[in-house]
Amino acid sequence: MSFSISLTINGEKRAIALDDPRVTLLDLLRERLHLTGAKKGCDRGQCGACTVLVDGRRINSCLTLAASLDGADITTVEGLANGDDLHPVQAAFIAHDGLQCGYCTPGQIMSAVGLIAEGHAGDDPERVRELMSGNICRCGAYKGITEAVLDAQKTLKDGKRRDAA
Amino acid sequence: MNRFEYVRPASVQEAVTAASQPGSVYLAAGTNLLDLMKLGAARPERVIDITRLPGLGEIDWRPDGSVRIGAMVRNSDLAYDERFARTFPVVAEALLSGASAQLRNAATVGGNLMQQTRCAYFQDVASACNRRAPGSGCDAREGENRLHAVLGWSESCIATHPSDFCVPLVALDAVTEVAGPNGMRDVAIDALHALPGETPERETALQPGELITALKLPSDAAAFADHARYLKVRERTSFAFAVVSAAAALRIDGGKIQSARLALGGVAAKPWRARDAEAVLENAPPTQEAFAKAAELALSEARPSGKNAFKIELARRLIVRALSLSTEGTPEAMPALPASPFATVPSANHAR
Protein backbone atom coordinates (compact mmCIF):
# COMPACT_ATOMS: atom_id res chain seq x y z
CA MET A 1 0.00 0.00 0.00
CA SER A 2 1.58 3.25 -1.06
CA PHE A 3 0.22 6.77 -1.08
CA SER A 4 1.29 10.38 -1.07
CA ILE A 5 0.80 13.06 1.58
CA SER A 6 1.53 16.74 1.60
CA LEU A 7 3.25 18.40 4.57
CA THR A 8 4.64 21.86 5.15
CA ILE A 9 7.85 21.32 7.08
CA ASN A 10 9.61 24.37 8.52
CA GLY A 11 7.87 26.55 5.98
CA GLU A 12 8.58 24.39 2.95
CA LYS A 13 5.72 22.51 1.31
CA ARG A 14 6.66 18.95 0.43
CA ALA A 15 4.97 16.03 -1.28
CA ILE A 16 5.94 12.85 0.52
CA ALA A 17 5.48 9.34 -0.83
CA LEU A 18 4.74 6.79 1.88
CA ASP A 19 5.08 3.10 1.12
CA ASP A 20 3.81 2.02 4.54
CA PRO A 21 1.12 3.53 6.79
CA ARG A 22 3.06 2.51 9.92
CA VAL A 23 5.52 5.40 9.63
CA THR A 24 5.26 7.79 12.57
CA LEU A 25 5.91 11.49 12.15
CA LEU A 26 9.12 11.03 14.17
CA ASP A 27 10.45 8.29 11.89
CA LEU A 28 9.46 10.28 8.82
CA LEU A 29 11.39 13.33 10.05
CA ARG A 30 14.48 11.46 11.19
CA GLU A 31 14.85 8.54 8.81
CA ARG A 32 13.40 9.88 5.57
CA LEU A 33 13.77 13.66 5.71
CA HIS A 34 17.00 13.58 7.74
CA LEU A 35 15.76 16.15 10.24
CA THR A 36 17.35 14.54 13.27
CA GLY A 37 16.66 17.32 15.79
CA ALA A 38 13.63 15.54 17.20
CA LYS A 39 14.94 12.59 19.19
CA LYS A 40 13.63 9.09 19.76
CA GLY A 41 13.94 8.62 23.52
CA CYS A 42 11.21 6.26 24.73
CA ASP A 43 9.11 6.08 21.52
CA ARG A 44 6.04 5.86 23.81
CA GLY A 45 5.10 9.47 24.50
CA GLN A 46 6.61 9.41 27.97
CA CYS A 47 9.85 11.40 27.58
CA GLY A 48 9.01 14.30 25.24
CA ALA A 49 12.32 14.18 23.30
CA CYS A 50 10.33 13.89 20.05
CA THR A 51 8.22 17.02 20.64
CA VAL A 52 7.45 19.07 17.51
CA LEU A 53 4.73 21.57 16.58
CA VAL A 54 1.87 20.38 14.38
CA ASP A 55 -0.26 23.30 13.18
CA GLY A 56 1.38 25.34 15.94
CA ARG A 57 0.62 22.87 18.77
CA ARG A 58 3.24 20.81 20.58
CA ILE A 59 2.69 17.06 20.32
CA ASN A 60 4.69 13.82 20.65
CA SER A 61 5.75 12.95 17.09
CA CYS A 62 6.44 9.33 18.11
CA LEU A 63 2.73 8.71 18.76
CA THR A 64 1.41 10.21 15.53
CA LEU A 65 1.03 8.41 12.21
CA ALA A 66 2.44 10.57 9.42
CA ALA A 67 -0.39 9.42 7.15
CA SER A 68 -2.99 10.99 9.42
CA LEU A 69 -1.31 14.41 9.20
CA ASP A 70 -1.86 14.96 5.46
CA GLY A 71 -1.90 18.75 4.90
CA ALA A 72 -0.43 19.68 8.29
CA ASP A 73 2.15 22.36 9.06
CA ILE A 74 5.11 20.94 10.99
CA THR A 75 7.77 22.91 12.85
CA THR A 76 10.87 21.15 14.16
CA VAL A 77 13.80 22.58 16.09
CA GLU A 78 15.61 23.00 12.74
CA GLY A 79 12.96 25.55 11.76
CA LEU A 80 13.31 27.89 14.74
CA ALA A 81 16.46 29.94 14.10
CA ASN A 82 16.66 32.59 11.42
CA GLY A 83 20.05 31.82 9.88
CA ASP A 84 22.57 32.40 12.67
CA ASP A 85 20.02 34.29 14.78
CA LEU A 86 18.77 31.91 17.42
CA HIS A 87 15.12 31.85 18.43
CA PRO A 88 14.67 33.53 21.85
CA VAL A 89 13.90 30.14 23.44
CA GLN A 90 17.13 28.64 22.04
CA ALA A 91 19.12 31.65 23.26
CA ALA A 92 17.53 31.44 26.72
CA PHE A 93 18.40 27.74 27.09
CA ILE A 94 22.06 28.63 26.49
CA ALA A 95 21.97 31.70 28.75
CA HIS A 96 20.39 29.76 31.64
CA ASP A 97 22.33 26.52 31.22
CA GLY A 98 19.08 24.65 30.50
CA LEU A 99 20.90 21.54 29.40
CA GLN A 100 23.80 19.23 30.06
CA CYS A 101 24.11 16.33 27.60
CA GLY A 102 21.65 17.98 25.19
CA TYR A 103 19.72 14.89 24.10
CA CYS A 104 16.36 16.08 25.42
CA THR A 105 17.01 19.71 24.48
CA PRO A 106 15.31 19.91 21.04
CA GLY A 107 12.19 18.44 22.62
CA GLN A 108 12.43 20.75 25.62
CA ILE A 109 12.82 23.76 23.34
CA MET A 110 9.89 22.82 21.09
CA SER A 111 7.77 22.16 24.16
CA ALA A 112 8.73 25.55 25.59
CA VAL A 113 7.84 27.28 22.30
CA GLY A 114 4.44 25.54 22.46
CA LEU A 115 3.95 26.40 26.13
CA ILE A 116 4.62 30.10 25.53
CA ALA A 117 2.20 30.17 22.58
CA GLU A 118 -0.49 28.48 24.68
CA GLY A 119 -0.16 31.25 27.27
CA HIS A 120 -1.41 29.42 30.38
CA ALA A 121 1.69 29.64 32.60
CA GLY A 122 1.89 33.36 33.31
CA ASP A 123 5.09 34.13 35.20
CA ASP A 124 4.53 31.31 37.70
CA PRO A 125 7.46 28.84 37.80
CA GLU A 126 5.13 26.22 39.33
CA ARG A 127 2.88 26.39 36.28
CA VAL A 128 5.89 26.26 33.96
CA ARG A 129 7.15 23.11 35.69
CA GLU A 130 3.70 21.52 35.53
CA LEU A 131 3.27 22.37 31.84
CA MET A 132 6.79 21.10 31.01
CA SER A 133 6.26 17.77 32.81
CA GLY A 134 5.97 15.94 29.49
CA ASN A 135 9.69 16.53 28.91
CA ILE A 136 12.09 14.43 30.94
CA CYS A 137 15.72 15.53 31.46
CA ARG A 138 17.91 12.72 32.78
CA CYS A 139 20.69 15.19 33.54
CA GLY A 140 18.32 17.10 35.78
CA ALA A 141 18.71 20.54 34.21
CA TYR A 142 15.18 21.45 35.27
CA LYS A 143 16.14 24.57 37.22
CA GLY A 144 17.81 26.14 34.19
CA ILE A 145 15.01 24.97 31.90
CA THR A 146 12.35 26.66 34.05
CA GLU A 147 14.36 29.89 34.15
CA ALA A 148 14.92 29.73 30.39
CA VAL A 149 11.21 29.30 29.66
CA LEU A 150 10.25 32.25 31.87
CA ASP A 151 13.02 34.45 30.42
CA ALA A 152 12.21 33.55 26.80
CA GLN A 153 8.53 34.22 27.43
CA LYS A 154 9.40 37.68 28.72
CA THR A 155 11.68 38.35 25.72
CA LEU A 156 8.97 37.30 23.28
CA LYS A 157 6.35 39.41 25.06
CA ASP A 158 8.62 42.48 25.12
CA GLY A 159 9.42 41.93 21.44
CA LYS A 160 5.73 41.81 20.57
CA ARG A 161 5.13 45.04 22.50
CA ARG A 162 8.00 46.71 20.57
CA ASP A 163 6.59 45.45 17.26
CA ALA A 164 3.19 46.88 18.13
CA ALA A 165 4.62 50.30 19.06
CA MET B 1 4.02 -3.00 14.73
CA ASN B 2 2.05 -5.40 12.54
CA ARG B 3 1.10 -4.46 8.99
CA PHE B 4 -2.39 -3.03 8.59
CA GLU B 5 -4.66 -1.50 6.01
CA TYR B 6 -5.04 2.27 6.49
CA VAL B 7 -8.51 3.59 5.71
CA ARG B 8 -9.52 7.25 5.72
CA PRO B 9 -13.31 7.48 5.47
CA ALA B 10 -15.04 10.71 4.38
CA SER B 11 -18.13 10.41 6.57
CA VAL B 12 -19.30 8.85 9.84
CA GLN B 13 -21.42 6.43 7.78
CA GLU B 14 -18.40 5.33 5.73
CA ALA B 15 -16.36 4.96 8.92
CA VAL B 16 -18.98 2.76 10.57
CA THR B 17 -19.27 0.57 7.47
CA ALA B 18 -15.48 0.15 7.28
CA ALA B 19 -15.09 -0.55 10.99
CA SER B 20 -17.89 -3.12 11.03
CA GLN B 21 -15.50 -5.58 9.41
CA PRO B 22 -13.73 -7.81 11.96
CA GLY B 23 -10.18 -6.77 12.90
CA SER B 24 -10.88 -3.04 12.56
CA VAL B 25 -10.06 -0.27 15.02
CA TYR B 26 -10.72 3.45 14.98
CA LEU B 27 -7.70 5.76 15.08
CA ALA B 28 -8.12 9.22 16.59
CA ALA B 29 -4.93 10.89 17.89
CA GLY B 30 -3.44 7.44 18.50
CA THR B 31 -1.75 8.37 21.78
CA ASN B 32 -2.87 5.07 23.37
CA LEU B 33 -3.49 2.88 20.29
CA LEU B 34 -0.11 3.46 18.61
CA ASP B 35 1.66 2.70 21.88
CA LEU B 36 -0.24 -0.60 22.17
CA MET B 37 0.46 -1.41 18.51
CA LYS B 38 4.20 -0.83 18.99
CA LEU B 39 4.10 -3.17 21.98
CA GLY B 40 2.17 -5.79 20.00
CA ALA B 41 -0.66 -5.69 22.53
CA ALA B 42 -2.93 -4.39 19.76
CA ARG B 43 -2.64 -5.97 16.30
CA PRO B 44 -5.43 -4.54 14.16
CA GLU B 45 -5.83 -5.63 10.53
CA ARG B 46 -7.50 -2.39 9.54
CA VAL B 47 -7.04 1.11 11.01
CA ILE B 48 -9.90 3.52 10.35
CA ASP B 49 -8.57 7.09 10.64
CA ILE B 50 -11.41 9.28 11.94
CA THR B 51 -9.36 12.45 12.47
CA ARG B 52 -10.77 14.11 9.28
CA LEU B 53 -14.43 13.22 9.77
CA PRO B 54 -16.58 16.36 9.47
CA GLY B 55 -18.72 17.57 12.36
CA LEU B 56 -16.89 15.96 15.28
CA GLY B 57 -14.81 18.95 16.40
CA GLU B 58 -17.38 21.35 17.86
CA ILE B 59 -18.47 22.33 21.37
CA ASP B 60 -22.19 23.14 21.06
CA TRP B 61 -24.12 24.77 23.90
CA ARG B 62 -27.84 24.13 23.94
CA PRO B 63 -30.42 26.70 25.10
CA ASP B 64 -31.15 24.62 28.23
CA GLY B 65 -27.49 24.88 29.34
CA SER B 66 -26.48 21.37 28.34
CA VAL B 67 -23.48 20.88 26.09
CA ARG B 68 -22.60 18.52 23.24
CA ILE B 69 -18.87 18.02 22.71
CA GLY B 70 -17.71 16.47 19.45
CA ALA B 71 -15.66 13.31 19.90
CA MET B 72 -12.64 14.79 18.12
CA VAL B 73 -12.34 17.86 20.38
CA ARG B 74 -8.85 17.73 21.85
CA ASN B 75 -8.46 17.39 25.62
CA SER B 76 -6.60 20.70 25.99
CA ASP B 77 -9.11 22.63 23.87
CA LEU B 78 -11.94 21.41 26.07
CA ALA B 79 -10.14 22.02 29.36
CA TYR B 80 -9.17 25.58 28.38
CA ASP B 81 -12.53 26.48 26.84
CA GLU B 82 -13.60 29.33 29.11
CA ARG B 83 -17.29 28.58 29.27
CA PHE B 84 -16.72 24.85 29.70
CA ALA B 85 -14.18 25.32 32.50
CA ARG B 86 -16.48 27.77 34.28
CA THR B 87 -19.55 25.54 33.94
CA PHE B 88 -17.92 22.16 34.64
CA PRO B 89 -14.74 23.04 36.59
CA VAL B 90 -14.35 19.54 38.01
CA VAL B 91 -14.12 18.13 34.48
CA ALA B 92 -11.57 20.74 33.42
CA GLU B 93 -9.46 20.01 36.50
CA ALA B 94 -9.52 16.27 35.78
CA LEU B 95 -8.50 16.84 32.16
CA LEU B 96 -5.58 19.07 33.15
CA SER B 97 -4.37 16.55 35.74
CA GLY B 98 -4.04 13.87 33.07
CA ALA B 99 -1.01 13.02 30.93
CA SER B 100 1.27 15.84 29.69
CA ALA B 101 0.63 19.05 27.77
CA GLN B 102 1.75 17.40 24.52
CA LEU B 103 -0.57 14.43 24.99
CA ARG B 104 -3.51 16.64 25.96
CA ASN B 105 -2.96 18.69 22.78
CA ALA B 106 -3.37 15.51 20.72
CA ALA B 107 -5.69 13.24 22.70
CA THR B 108 -9.39 13.45 21.87
CA VAL B 109 -12.57 13.26 23.93
CA GLY B 110 -13.63 10.00 22.28
CA GLY B 111 -10.15 8.52 22.53
CA ASN B 112 -9.92 9.29 26.23
CA LEU B 113 -13.16 7.41 26.88
CA MET B 114 -11.95 4.43 24.82
CA GLN B 115 -8.42 4.23 26.20
CA GLN B 116 -7.35 0.89 27.64
CA THR B 117 -5.93 -0.13 30.97
CA ARG B 118 -2.28 0.59 31.75
CA CYS B 119 -1.92 -2.80 33.51
CA ALA B 120 1.65 -3.84 32.67
CA TYR B 121 0.56 -7.44 32.09
CA PHE B 122 -2.02 -6.31 29.54
CA GLN B 123 0.72 -4.38 27.71
CA ASP B 124 3.34 -7.15 27.88
CA VAL B 125 2.58 -9.79 25.26
CA ALA B 126 4.76 -12.34 27.09
CA SER B 127 2.39 -12.22 30.10
CA ALA B 128 -0.88 -14.05 30.62
CA CYS B 129 -3.81 -11.65 30.35
CA ASN B 130 -7.47 -12.58 29.99
CA ARG B 131 -8.30 -9.07 28.79
CA ARG B 132 -5.82 -9.22 25.86
CA ALA B 133 -5.89 -12.99 25.25
CA PRO B 134 -9.11 -14.53 26.68
CA GLY B 135 -8.50 -17.72 28.65
CA SER B 136 -4.74 -17.19 29.04
CA GLY B 137 -4.96 -16.30 32.75
CA CYS B 138 -4.00 -13.22 34.75
CA ASP B 139 -0.36 -12.71 35.69
CA ALA B 140 -1.30 -9.57 37.62
CA ARG B 141 -3.19 -11.71 40.15
CA GLU B 142 0.07 -12.91 41.73
CA GLY B 143 2.30 -10.21 40.26
CA GLU B 144 3.12 -6.56 40.84
CA ASN B 145 -0.38 -5.50 41.71
CA ARG B 146 -0.18 -2.69 44.23
CA LEU B 147 -1.87 -0.33 41.74
CA HIS B 148 -4.63 -2.72 40.69
CA ALA B 149 -8.36 -2.72 41.43
CA VAL B 150 -10.01 -2.84 44.84
CA LEU B 151 -13.61 -2.62 43.60
CA GLY B 152 -15.53 -4.62 41.01
CA TRP B 153 -12.67 -6.94 40.07
CA SER B 154 -12.87 -10.67 39.37
CA GLU B 155 -10.48 -13.60 39.38
CA SER B 156 -10.24 -13.10 35.60
CA CYS B 157 -8.99 -9.52 35.70
CA ILE B 158 -7.93 -6.94 38.30
CA ALA B 159 -7.05 -4.09 35.92
CA THR B 160 -8.17 -0.49 36.46
CA HIS B 161 -9.50 2.07 34.00
CA PRO B 162 -6.88 4.83 33.79
CA SER B 163 -8.93 7.88 32.76
CA ASP B 164 -9.12 11.01 34.92
CA PHE B 165 -11.66 12.67 32.59
CA CYS B 166 -14.19 9.84 33.00
CA VAL B 167 -14.34 10.19 36.80
CA PRO B 168 -16.18 13.55 36.97
CA LEU B 169 -18.07 12.58 33.81
CA VAL B 170 -19.66 9.58 35.51
CA ALA B 171 -20.38 11.72 38.58
CA LEU B 172 -22.19 14.29 36.42
CA ASP B 173 -24.26 11.74 34.45
CA ALA B 174 -22.52 12.39 31.12
CA VAL B 175 -23.76 10.47 28.11
CA THR B 176 -22.02 9.43 24.90
CA GLU B 177 -23.68 9.69 21.51
CA VAL B 178 -22.83 6.63 19.44
CA ALA B 179 -23.20 5.99 15.69
CA GLY B 180 -23.45 2.40 14.57
CA PRO B 181 -24.60 0.09 11.79
CA ASN B 182 -28.16 0.39 13.11
CA GLY B 183 -28.20 4.17 13.57
CA MET B 184 -27.57 6.43 16.54
CA ARG B 185 -28.00 5.68 20.24
CA ASP B 186 -26.99 7.15 23.58
CA VAL B 187 -24.82 5.27 26.08
CA ALA B 188 -24.33 6.71 29.57
CA ILE B 189 -20.70 6.86 30.73
CA ASP B 190 -21.73 4.69 33.67
CA ALA B 191 -22.85 1.99 31.20
CA LEU B 192 -19.98 2.44 28.71
CA HIS B 193 -17.18 0.67 30.59
CA ALA B 194 -17.70 -2.92 31.70
CA LEU B 195 -16.60 -4.66 34.88
CA PRO B 196 -14.52 -7.72 34.01
CA GLY B 197 -16.60 -10.62 35.36
CA GLU B 198 -15.75 -13.71 33.32
CA THR B 199 -15.30 -11.69 30.09
CA PRO B 200 -12.71 -8.96 30.68
CA GLU B 201 -12.05 -8.82 26.91
CA ARG B 202 -15.45 -7.12 26.55
CA GLU B 203 -14.23 -3.73 27.70
CA THR B 204 -17.13 -1.51 26.68
CA ALA B 205 -20.81 -1.67 25.79
CA LEU B 206 -20.04 -0.70 22.19
CA GLN B 207 -20.84 -3.18 19.42
CA PRO B 208 -18.56 -3.81 16.42
CA GLY B 209 -18.44 -0.74 14.19
CA GLU B 210 -19.96 1.60 16.76
CA LEU B 211 -18.27 4.99 16.99
CA ILE B 212 -18.57 7.60 19.73
CA THR B 213 -19.46 10.81 17.91
CA ALA B 214 -20.07 13.11 20.89
CA LEU B 215 -20.19 13.48 24.64
CA LYS B 216 -23.13 15.21 26.28
CA LEU B 217 -23.33 16.83 29.72
CA PRO B 218 -26.84 17.51 31.02
CA SER B 219 -27.89 20.98 32.15
CA ASP B 220 -28.34 19.96 35.81
CA ALA B 221 -24.61 19.08 35.97
CA ALA B 222 -23.91 22.83 35.88
CA ALA B 223 -25.58 23.26 39.29
CA PHE B 224 -22.42 21.91 40.98
CA ALA B 225 -20.04 24.52 39.54
CA ASP B 226 -19.52 26.34 42.86
CA HIS B 227 -18.49 23.30 44.92
CA ALA B 228 -16.61 20.79 42.82
CA ARG B 229 -13.10 19.34 42.95
CA TYR B 230 -11.15 16.52 41.36
CA LEU B 231 -8.27 15.22 43.48
CA LYS B 232 -5.69 12.70 42.35
CA VAL B 233 -2.97 10.91 44.28
CA ARG B 234 -0.11 9.93 42.01
CA GLU B 235 3.39 8.59 42.47
CA ARG B 236 5.01 11.77 41.19
CA THR B 237 3.82 15.36 41.16
CA SER B 238 2.82 15.48 37.51
CA PHE B 239 2.40 13.27 34.42
CA ALA B 240 1.36 10.06 36.19
CA PHE B 241 -1.79 7.97 36.30
CA ALA B 242 -3.91 8.01 39.43
CA VAL B 243 -3.15 5.65 42.28
CA VAL B 244 -6.56 6.77 43.51
CA SER B 245 -8.62 9.79 42.45
CA ALA B 246 -11.92 11.31 43.50
CA ALA B 247 -14.40 13.70 41.91
CA ALA B 248 -16.69 15.43 44.38
CA ALA B 249 -19.47 17.86 43.48
CA LEU B 250 -21.91 19.40 45.93
CA ARG B 251 -24.88 21.73 45.87
CA ILE B 252 -24.94 23.50 49.24
CA ASP B 253 -27.74 25.74 50.43
CA GLY B 254 -28.78 26.89 53.87
CA GLY B 255 -25.94 25.05 55.58
CA LYS B 256 -27.03 21.73 54.09
CA ILE B 257 -25.92 19.59 51.17
CA GLN B 258 -28.86 19.69 48.75
CA SER B 259 -27.34 17.15 46.42
CA ALA B 260 -24.01 15.36 46.10
CA ARG B 261 -22.06 13.58 43.38
CA LEU B 262 -19.07 11.37 44.08
CA ALA B 263 -16.95 9.11 41.89
CA LEU B 264 -13.59 7.38 42.19
CA GLY B 265 -10.81 6.68 39.69
CA GLY B 266 -7.97 4.19 39.79
CA VAL B 267 -9.96 1.69 41.85
CA ALA B 268 -11.88 -0.39 39.29
CA ALA B 269 -12.14 -1.33 35.61
CA LYS B 270 -14.57 1.56 35.22
CA PRO B 271 -14.95 5.04 36.70
CA TRP B 272 -16.68 4.22 39.98
CA ARG B 273 -19.80 6.13 40.95
CA ALA B 274 -20.46 6.01 44.72
CA ARG B 275 -24.25 6.37 44.84
CA ASP B 276 -24.70 5.11 48.43
CA ALA B 277 -22.26 7.75 49.60
CA GLU B 278 -24.13 10.43 47.66
CA ALA B 279 -27.41 9.39 49.27
CA VAL B 280 -26.05 9.71 52.81
CA LEU B 281 -24.69 13.21 52.07
CA GLU B 282 -27.99 14.57 50.85
CA ASN B 283 -29.68 16.81 53.44
CA ALA B 284 -26.69 16.42 55.75
CA PRO B 285 -24.61 19.39 56.91
CA PRO B 286 -21.20 19.46 55.20
CA THR B 287 -19.18 18.20 58.17
CA GLN B 288 -16.17 15.92 58.60
CA GLU B 289 -18.48 13.36 60.25
CA ALA B 290 -20.78 13.27 57.23
CA PHE B 291 -17.80 13.02 54.87
CA ALA B 292 -16.26 10.15 56.86
CA LYS B 293 -19.56 8.29 56.76
CA ALA B 294 -19.79 8.79 53.00
CA ALA B 295 -16.22 7.55 52.59
CA GLU B 296 -16.99 4.40 54.61
CA LEU B 297 -20.04 3.67 52.46
CA ALA B 298 -18.18 4.31 49.19
CA LEU B 299 -15.59 1.69 50.04
CA SER B 300 -17.83 -0.75 51.94
CA GLU B 301 -17.51 -3.41 49.25
CA ALA B 302 -13.82 -2.84 48.53
CA ARG B 303 -11.34 -5.67 48.97
CA PRO B 304 -7.69 -5.91 47.97
CA SER B 305 -6.85 -7.82 44.78
CA GLY B 306 -3.21 -8.11 45.84
CA LYS B 307 -0.69 -5.90 47.60
CA ASN B 308 -3.08 -2.97 47.40
CA ALA B 309 -5.11 -2.86 50.63
CA PHE B 310 -3.60 0.61 51.19
CA LYS B 311 -5.67 1.95 48.31
CA ILE B 312 -8.88 1.38 50.25
CA GLU B 313 -7.87 3.61 53.15
CA LEU B 314 -6.25 6.04 50.72
CA ALA B 315 -9.53 6.30 48.81
CA ARG B 316 -11.48 6.96 52.03
CA ARG B 317 -9.14 9.77 53.02
CA LEU B 318 -9.15 11.23 49.51
CA ILE B 319 -12.95 11.30 49.50
CA VAL B 320 -12.98 13.24 52.78
CA ARG B 321 -10.39 15.67 51.38
CA ALA B 322 -12.27 16.10 48.09
CA LEU B 323 -15.56 16.74 49.89
CA SER B 324 -13.88 19.17 52.30
CA LEU B 325 -12.23 21.16 49.49
CA SER B 326 -15.47 21.13 47.48
CA THR B 327 -17.27 22.59 50.47
CA GLU B 328 -14.67 25.38 50.67
CA GLY B 329 -15.56 26.18 47.09
CA THR B 330 -14.26 25.73 43.58
CA PRO B 331 -11.03 27.78 43.24
CA GLU B 332 -11.39 31.03 41.25
CA ALA B 333 -8.52 30.02 39.00
CA MET B 334 -7.32 26.57 38.02
CA PRO B 335 -4.69 25.52 40.59
CA ALA B 336 -1.09 25.56 39.33
CA LEU B 337 -1.01 21.82 39.98
CA PRO B 338 -4.49 20.66 38.96
CA ALA B 339 -6.00 17.97 41.21
CA SER B 340 -3.12 18.04 43.68
CA PRO B 341 -4.44 16.96 47.10
CA PHE B 342 -1.49 18.70 48.75
CA ALA B 343 -1.89 22.20 47.35
CA THR B 344 -4.71 23.65 49.45
CA VAL B 345 -3.90 27.24 48.59
CA PRO B 346 -3.15 28.58 45.11
CA SER B 347 0.36 29.63 46.10
CA ALA B 348 1.38 26.23 47.52
CA ASN B 349 4.56 25.00 45.98
CA HIS B 350 5.82 21.47 46.33
CA ALA B 351 7.57 20.85 43.03
CA ARG B 352 10.81 22.55 43.96
Side-chain angles (χ1 to χ4, degrees), chain A residues 1 20 22 43-44 51 57-58 60 62-63 67-70 111 118 120 126-127 129-130 133 135, chain B residues 1-3 6 8 34-35 38 49 52 76-77 80 101-102 105 123 238-239 334 337 349 351:
Chain A
M1 186 177 172
D20 191 323
R22 293 178 293 181
D43 208 23
R44 298 190 62 187
T51 303
R57 298 157 66 100
R58 51 178 165 154
N60 302 103
C62 72
L63 285 185
S68 75
L69 295 179
D70 194 6
S111 193
E118 288 156 16
H120 300 301
E126 185 84 321
R127 286 180 196 268
R129 283 190 288 265
E130 163 63 22
S133 70
N135 294 82
Chain B
M1 206 187 294
N2 64 290
R3 291 192 174 275
Y6 174 75
R8 194 191 291 162
L34 283 187
D35 188 19
K38 288 179 187 187
D49 183 349
R52 299 353 183 55
S76 54
D77 290 336
Y80 289 121
Q102 289 97 314
N105 275 347
Q123 297 190 337
S238 178
F239 196 11
M334 184 62 64
L337 294 168
N349 186 329

Side-chain angles (χ1 to χ4, degrees), chain B residues 167-303:
Chain B
V167 181
L169 289 183
V170 78
L172 296 178
D173 284 332
V175 173
T176 58
E177 178 189 285
V178 175
N182 303 316
M184 309 290 293
R185 67 178 180 126
D186 282 354
V187 179
I189 292 286
D190 202 16
L192 179 66
H193 304 97
L195 289 176
E198 295 304 306
T199 54
E201 73 279 11
R202 284 187 212 155
E203 299 185 291
T204 72
L206 299 190
Q207 299 298 314
E210 283 195 317
L211 173 68
I212 295 174
T213 51
L215 172 73
K216 298 185 285 193
L217 276 156
S219 55
D220 63 2
F224 299 96
D226 292 340
H227 296 279
R229 288 302 302 270
Y230 181 69
L231 294 185
K232 173 180 176 183
V233 176
R234 29 199 153 169
E235 296 198 303
R236 58 183 183 187
T237 303
S238 178
F239 196 11
F241 290 101
V243 177
V244 175
S245 69
L250 301 173
R251 212 155 49 74
I252 302 174
D253 197 22
K256 269 189 181 174
I257 298 169
Q258 302 299 321
S259 59
R261 300 289 177 86
L262 185 66
L264 295 171
V267 295
K270 61 183 288 185
W272 192 267
R273 178 88 178 258
R275 292 179 196 275
D276 290 352
E278 293 174 2
V280 80
L281 287 168
E282 268 165 42
N283 296 315
T287 60
Q288 292 297 303
E289 292 70 33
F291 299 159
K293 200 170 162 195
E296 276 306 316
L297 273 171
L299 277 301
S300 62
E301 284 170 26
R303 62 196 169 105

Side-chain angles (χ1 to χ4, degrees), chain A residues 7 34 72 111 113 117 128:
Chain A
L7 292 176
H34 310 295
S111 193
V113 171
V128 169

Side-chain angles (χ1 to χ4, degrees), chain A:
Chain A
M1 186 177 172
S2 115
F3 47 100
S4 175
I5 62 168
S6 161
L7 292 176
T8 301
I9 298 175
N10 296 331
E12 190 188 335
K13 194 165 182 182
R14 307 177 69 150
I16 294 159
L18 283 177
D19 53 3
D20 191 323
R22 293 178 293 181
V23 180
T24 62
L25 175 60
L26 178 61
D27 285 340
L28 175 73
L29 292 170
R30 289 184 56 83
E31 307 296 333
R32 302 183 181 217
L33 304 177
H34 310 295
L35 292 166
T36 54
K39 297 293 185 282
K40 185 179 279 192
C42 68
D43 208 23
R44 298 190 62 187
Q46 296 178 358
C47 77
C50 69
T51 303
V52 300
L53 304 185
V54 173
D55 296 328
R57 298 157 66 100
R58 51 178 165 154
I59 56 119
N60 302 103
S61 62
C62 72
L63 285 185
T64 307
L65 285 187
S68 75
L69 295 179
D70 194 6
D73 190 329
I74 315 290
T75 307
T76 71
V77 74
E78 289 91 342
L80 284 188
N82 184 6
D84 286 339
D85 291 338
L86 292 181
H87 184 279
V89 174
Q90 292 174 304
F93 266 68
I94 294 171
H96 292 273
D97 240 354
L99 65 149
Q100 190 175 317
C101 82
Y103 187 86
C104 72
T105 310
Q108 299 277 2
I109 287 174
M110 296 314 293
S111 193
V113 171
L115 178 154
I116 293 167
E118 288 156 16
H120 300 301
D123 56 3
D124 181 354
E126 185 84 321
R127 286 180 196 268
V128 169
R129 283 190 288 265
E130 163 63 22
L131 292 171
M132 289 293 287
S133 70
N135 294 82
I136 308 295
C137 171
R138 279 277 79 125
C139 302
Y142 296 110
K143 189 166 182 290
I145 291 169
T146 305
E147 288 169 4
V149 175
L150 288 166
D151 191 20
Q153 179 172 257
K154 189 168 176 298
T155 305
L156 284 162
K157 209 190 259 176
D158 292 349
K160 233 178 234 163
R161 207 171 295 137
R162 259 201 313 279
D163 290 347

